[in-house]
Every structure is written in C-alpha cells, then in structure tokens.
Amino acid sequence: MVFVSRPGSVEHLLECTVCRAQHTLPRRHHEDVIRNHLAAVHRLECSRAGYVGAGPVRWQPDGTAVCEIHCPNHSRAPRQWDAELPAAEAREVLQELIEKVLGSENR
C-alpha cells in the first residue's frame, strides 16, 4: 500500500504550512496519487477488479502521465496496456484530492 492510500496520510502531508498554503503535496507523492487514480479508473473495466494494478508513472515532457495498467484476470487481451492522463487532468486529480481533505476540515 502506498503512503497516500493510508487513512490520514494526505492530512498528515498537508500539515506542512507550505503544502497547505500552495494546495499541493510533496512532489514525490504525486506519482502515487496518479497511479491510484488510473488504477481506480481502469478497475471499472475489469470483471475481476481487485487485481488491477498500475506500474510506475512515466512523465512526458508536457507533463502527461503515462502508466502501465495490468490485470492478470482481464477478460480481453491485452492484459497490460498504457493509460495516459494529460497534464491538466493530472493536476486536477491532485487538486481534487487536496480540496476534498481541506474541505472536510472546514465542515
């Protein structure tokens, strides 16, 4: 399990005053947020969803995230494929996670 998937982990990272003020997470955690997102999106495509995983993110020069998705029980070939998340969407995924955490603190 990656750190950002653990309960309270994002809240912990946002205890940093710089991260909180800039509404971001330390850069080393961005990849895990993107990997979790892409695996969750592609999990919906597999009948045996619990087995979907995502490999390391390959960042393109324009900021697009490319990640290999794999599912040993995927009903259609191929069992591994690349998923892309454009740079703007990757930033949006990160911001939505942060806003969800910060918004829940204000309730």
Side-chain angles (χ1 to χ4, degrees):
M1 175 186 273
V2 296
F3 182 74
V4 296
S5 297
R6 295 178 182 165
S9 61
V10 176
E11 292 86 344
H12 172 74
L13 293 171
L14 289 171
E15 287 177 6
C16 165
T17 53
V18 173
C19 291
R20 183 177 287 273
Q22 295 179 359
H23 287 220
T24 191
L25 298 177
R27 183 77 178 150
R28 66 185 176 276
H29 295 287
H30 291 197
E31 178 175 334
D32 291 336
V33 171
I34 299 306
R35 285 177 61 223
N36 289 347
H37 172 76
L38 287 172
V41 166
H42 289 275
R43 216 169 261 133
L44 300 173
E45 298 176 4
C46 292
S47 58
R48 311 235 13 211
Y51 297 103
V52 173
V57 173
R58 299 182 315 270
W59 296 101
Q60 303 300 310
D62 68 352
T64 295
V66 179
C67 192
E68 184 178 271
I69 304 297
H70 47 87
C71 179
N73 294 310
H74 192 62
S75 59
R76 299 179 310 268
R79 295 183 188 279
Q80 295 180 351
W81 62 95
D82 279 347
E84 286 190 7
L85 191 63
E89 287 182 46
R91 285 190 301 273
E92 192 174 299
V93 165
L94 184 65
Q95 286 304 306
E96 285 176 4
L97 175 65
I98 292 167
E99 295 304 322
K100 179 179 169 185
V101 169
L102 293 177
S104 68
E105 290 179 358
N106 295 327
R107 290 183 194 148

